[in-house]
């Protein structure tokens, strides 16, 4: 069974229909790169999965539980439980500026109270080591570079052991020379078979790391294929036009 | 010299106590009240939001001195209820300062609140924080930090505004200075009063600078 199952998802902002009956599914361990021109609805789609946007109609099923079924949302407690299976990394990091790196990581698991402080702190330091920032545990976000901030944000989202990680343009706010360190961490996660959906403009990442590329335009999924096929033999005219403009 | 001290400076320092007392009462009550007003203005219950906004507009839009005169001398003149609204002058002054400054603090906190990026709320939400946890752990600490310089400024203004008590005949610092000027026929007490006000505002300035450094998050 698919880990994420989206059917006939519809969403409008006012009169503007931003998602026009989207259906797709994601299997466990898949890494999906979602690409497309700005305004194509890919970020809105990603945000809908974790309930940062409310959809107007359709269904979203996560790991067998319906977040929303035919436009009817689950109750508050179930929504929390279901969205808790996912972590999210934002374009602008959204670290908490008044907390140190370590405090950013341990806040959510500490408030959840389901494990001991020792376990939480150990995982915190393990994750910081994994993203190469154990020496920054006591630094405040304002003293980090953009790439470091995003790596902290990824570590923070991993603290709750999510089954799925959503990335909303994780490298778009970074200087070009800093994108590499973030992409490296994401690549490591992919190799550990974390299920990931990555909205990105990084064609290199989409091609090398993703198992599947989904191309969106005008609120629709135009094409969905394996990277090799997608980049070498795009089927749709709009895909060809987009690739021609953005990747060579 | 000792005589001079006893006749002029000592009463002024006693008056300064009144000033300091009023300052602490006003600040300790009007900051929480201002914060509640901030929340009320943001309330989804519209009548409460409107009433709070009207309150803030009126309190900020009219002179504090007028409000003090109204509370001290105006309220007791009201028909029927007036006789129940006769307060001790100092109590009346405290009420006036608290009501007035709460409106200013409400606006300061509102500024702090709207300066917080919506990404902070979203990050808290995807990390599974409840609304209450988001407010107390993420939003309020940042709001108070942003508001700190403005709160410092307002506190210094409050110290100096206590001189308005002179107009409603509460014996505070300026009152004793004026008494001494009249009695001794010298302007020295004015300067002494100035030095005492300056000392109080300097202490406040140093305190708030320390707070700002303490919560710099760097």
């Amino acid at each position: 069974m698919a880990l994420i199952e989206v059917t006939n998802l519809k969403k409008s902002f006012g009169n503007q229909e931003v998602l026009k009956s989207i259906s797709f599914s994601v299997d466990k361990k898949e890494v999906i790169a979602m690409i497309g021109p700005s305004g194509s609805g890919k970020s809105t789609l990603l945000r809908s999965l974790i309930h940062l946007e409310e959809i107007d109609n359709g269904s979203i099923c996560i790991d067998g539980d319906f977040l929303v079924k035919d436009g009817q949302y689950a109750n508050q407690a179930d929504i929390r439980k279901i969205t808790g299976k996912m972590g999210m990394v934002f374009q602008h990091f959204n670290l908490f500026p008044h907390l140190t790196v370590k405090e950013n990581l341990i806040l959510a698991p500490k408030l959840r109270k389901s494990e001991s402080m020792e376990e939480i702190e150990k995982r915190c330091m393990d994750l910081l080591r994994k993203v190469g920032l154990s020496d920054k545990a006591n630094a405040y976000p304002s003293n980090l570079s953009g790439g470091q901030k995003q790596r902290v944000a990824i570590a923070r989202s991993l603290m709750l052991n999510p089954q799925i990680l959503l990335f909303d343009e994780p490298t778009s706010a970074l200087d070009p020379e800093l994108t590499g360190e973030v992409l490296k961490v994401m690549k490591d996660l992919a190799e550990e078979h974390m299920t990931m959906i990555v909205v990105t403009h990084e064609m290199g990442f989409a091609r090398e790391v993703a198992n599947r590329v989904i191309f969106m335009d005008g609120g629709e999924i135009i094409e969905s294929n394996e990277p090799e096929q997608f980049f070498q033999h795009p089927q749709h005219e709009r895909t060809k036009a987009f690739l021609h403009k953005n990747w060579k | 010299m000792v005589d001079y001290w006893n006749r002029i400076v000592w009463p002024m320092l006693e008056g300064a106590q009144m000033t300091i007392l009023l300052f602490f009462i006003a600040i300790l009550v009007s900051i929480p009240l201002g914060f509640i007003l901030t929340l009320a203005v943001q309330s989804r219950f519209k009548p409460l939001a409107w009433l709070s906004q009207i309150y803030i507009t009126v309190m900020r839009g009219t002179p504090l001195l007028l409000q003090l005169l109204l509370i001290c001398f105006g309220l007791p003149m009201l028909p029927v209820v007036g006789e129940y609204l006769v307060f001790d002058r100092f109590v009346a002054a405290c009420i006036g300062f608290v009501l007035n400054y709460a409106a200013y603090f409400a606006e300061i906190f509102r500024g702090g609140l709207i300066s917080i990026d919506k990404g902070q709320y979203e990050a808290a939400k995807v990390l599974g924080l409840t609304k209450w946890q988001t407010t107390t752990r993420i939003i309020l600490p940042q709001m108070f930090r942003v508001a700190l310089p403005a709160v410092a400024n307002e506190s210094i203004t409050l110290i100096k505004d206590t001189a308005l008590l002179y107009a409603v005949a509460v014996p505070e610092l300026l009152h004793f200075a004026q008494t001494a000027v009249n009695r001794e026929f010298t302007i020295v007490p004015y300067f002494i009063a100035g030095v005492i006000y300056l000392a109080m505002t300097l202490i406040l300035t140093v305190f708030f600078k320390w707070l700002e450094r303490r919560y710099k998050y760097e």
Side-chain angles (χ1 to χ4, degrees):
Chain A
M1 191 183 59
L3 193 51
I4 300 176
E5 185 84 58
V6 172
T7 31
N8 302 328
L9 187 157
K10 287 185 183 138
K11 164 88 183 163
S12 302
F13 290 122
N15 292 329
Q16 174 98 11
E17 203 178 14
V18 288
L19 296 173
K20 302 170 185 166
S21 199
I22 300 263
S23 297
F24 74 105
S25 63
V26 178
D27 287 326
K28 224 171 212 158
K29 300 177 182 179
E30 261 197 303
V31 177
I32 309 282
M34 216 170 249
I35 65 174
S38 44
S40 59
K42 51 196 196 306
S43 279
T44 307
L45 177 57
L46 193 77
R47 291 163 56 82
S48 301
L49 296 180
I50 198 163
H51 197 230
L52 287 176
E53 304 284 352
E54 293 234 332
I55 64 170
D56 302 327
N57 214 333
S59 306
I60 298 174
C61 185
I62 309 287
D63 193 22
D65 295 317
F66 279 98
L67 172 68
V68 45
K69 189 173 187 180
D70 299 327
Q72 288 293 315
Y73 271 91
N75 64 44
Q76 279 299 321
D78 285 342
I79 288 177
R80 283 176 66 81
K81 204 186 86 199
I82 294 165
T83 54
K85 294 175 179 177
M86 292 174 278
M88 177 139 177
V89 174
F90 299 89
Q91 180 178 359
H92 295 289
F93 330 124
N94 298 350
L95 294 179
F96 304 130
H98 61 301
L99 302 178
T100 63
V101 165
K102 189 177 169 187
E103 289 166 340
N104 263 278
L105 264 68
I106 63 180
L107 179 68
K110 191 174 84 184
L111 292 174
R112 191 174 278 197
K113 289 182 185 140
S114 58
E115 47 193 338
S116 74
M117 250 345 253
E118 289 89 68
E119 286 177 273
I120 294 172
E121 292 206 5
K122 180 172 178 304
R123 191 160 70 252
C124 167
M125 292 318 291
D126 286 347
L127 283 170
L128 284 180
R129 205 167 304 124
K130 181 179 182 150
V131 299
L133 290 169
S134 21
D135 57 327
K136 297 287 183 191
N138 295 313
Y140 282 99
S142 63
N143 289 334
L144 302 180
S145 72
Q148 291 172 328
K149 282 182 197 169
Q150 195 59 298
R151 284 187 280 153
V152 171
I154 293 173
R156 182 176 71 176
S157 70
L158 290 170
M159 280 298 286
L160 296 168
N161 295 320
Q163 296 184 39
I164 304 159
L165 261 193
L166 310 175
F167 293 83
D168 190 5
E169 306 201 17
T171 56
S172 299
L174 300 176
D175 292 334
E177 73 268 22
L178 298 177
T179 57
E181 58 190 75
V182 173
L183 293 174
K184 161 107 183 24
V185 170
M186 292 166 63
K187 199 172 170 181
D188 291 347
L189 286 170
E191 278 165 10
E192 291 165 25
H193 301 301
M194 170 64 85
T195 309
M196 295 157 61
I197 304 179
V198 185
V199 169
T200 187
H201 296 293
E202 292 283 339
M203 297 300 160
F205 177 84
R207 188 155 193 213
E208 285 168 40
V209 183
N211 313 120
R212 189 147 56 97
V213 181
I214 292 178
F215 174 69
M216 285 185 72
D217 193 12
E220 295 171 290
I221 293 180
I222 304 297
E223 197 165 332
S224 165
N225 216 333
E226 287 169 11
E228 205 51 40
Q229 283 292 317
F230 182 87
F231 286 101
Q232 295 304 329
H233 309 288
Q235 303 295 309
H236 204 283
E237 282 309 316
R238 279 198 267 179
T239 318
K240 287 178 190 167
F242 178 79
L243 288 177
H244 185 72
K245 247 172 78 183
N246 295 279
W247 183 69
K248 263 303 156 237
Chain B
M1 188 64 203
V2 174
D3 183 47
Y4 197 79
W5 175 270
N6 282 340
R7 273 189 305 139
I8 297 176
V9 182
W10 191 247
M12 285 173 70
L13 286 176
E14 280 190 54
Q17 279 180 20
M18 193 66 101
T19 298
I20 291 167
L21 184 65
L22 175 70
F23 170 78
F24 277 111
I25 291 172
I27 209 114
L28 290 179
V29 183
S30 64
I31 284 182
L33 196 62
F35 178 60
I36 291 169
L37 266 176
T38 306
L39 298 182
V41 170
Q42 315 270 330
S43 169
R44 253 173 285 177
F45 181 58
K46 285 299 162 201
L48 179 64
W50 289 330
L51 270 177
S52 316
Q53 192 55 57
I54 290 168
Y55 175 84
I56 291 171
T57 308
V58 169
M59 290 317 255
R60 294 204 316 156
T62 55
L64 175 55
L65 184 54
L66 174 65
Q67 294 163 16
L68 286 174
L69 292 173
L70 191 71
I71 292 168
C72 289
F73 308 117
L75 291 185
M77 289 167 70
L78 287 176
V80 189
V81 291
E83 57 180 306
Y84 303 106
L85 295 172
V86 185
F87 302 110
D88 169 76
R89 283 290 159 76
F90 181 73
V91 174
C94 285
I95 294 171
F97 271 82
V98 164
L99 293 182
N100 180 273
Y101 270 80
Y104 279 94
F105 283 123
E107 277 298 286
I108 288 173
F109 293 143
R110 193 177 66 85
L113 211 52
I114 59 179
S115 79
I116 294 168
D117 186 69
K118 81 175 189 347
Q120 294 288 307
Y121 295 91
E122 293 185 348
K125 187 174 175 188
V126 301
L127 287 169
L129 270 63
T130 62
K131 281 223 168 82
W132 173 253
Q133 290 168 339
T134 305
T135 306
T136 54
R137 304 290 187 128
I138 307 299
I139 304 307
L140 294 190
Q142 293 186 56
M143 181 200 81
F144 283 115
R145 179 61 189 86
V146 173
L148 200 51
V151 169
N153 204 26
E154 209 53 36
S155 305
I156 287 168
T157 307
L158 173 56
I159 284 271
K160 294 180 294 175
D161 272 357
T162 57
L164 289 173
L165 289 193
Y166 180 79
V168 291
V170 173
E172 45 64 72
L173 175 54
L174 190 62
H175 168 89
F176 284 105
Q178 184 62 46
T179 309
V181 167
N182 291 341
R183 192 179 58 223
E184 312 287 332
F185 210 65
T186 160
I187 61 167
V188 174
Y190 284 151
F191 289 98
I192 297 173
V195 169
I196 296 175
Y197 280 118
L198 197 58
M200 291 192 287
T201 54
L202 276 179
I203 290 169
L204 264 187
T205 306
V206 169
F207 170 70
F208 277 107
K209 281 273 175 285
W210 173 80
L211 262 189
E212 278 179 39
R213 263 203 316 277
R214 168 79 179 70
Y215 293 103
K216 207 171 174 195
Y217 306 130
E218 275 181 7

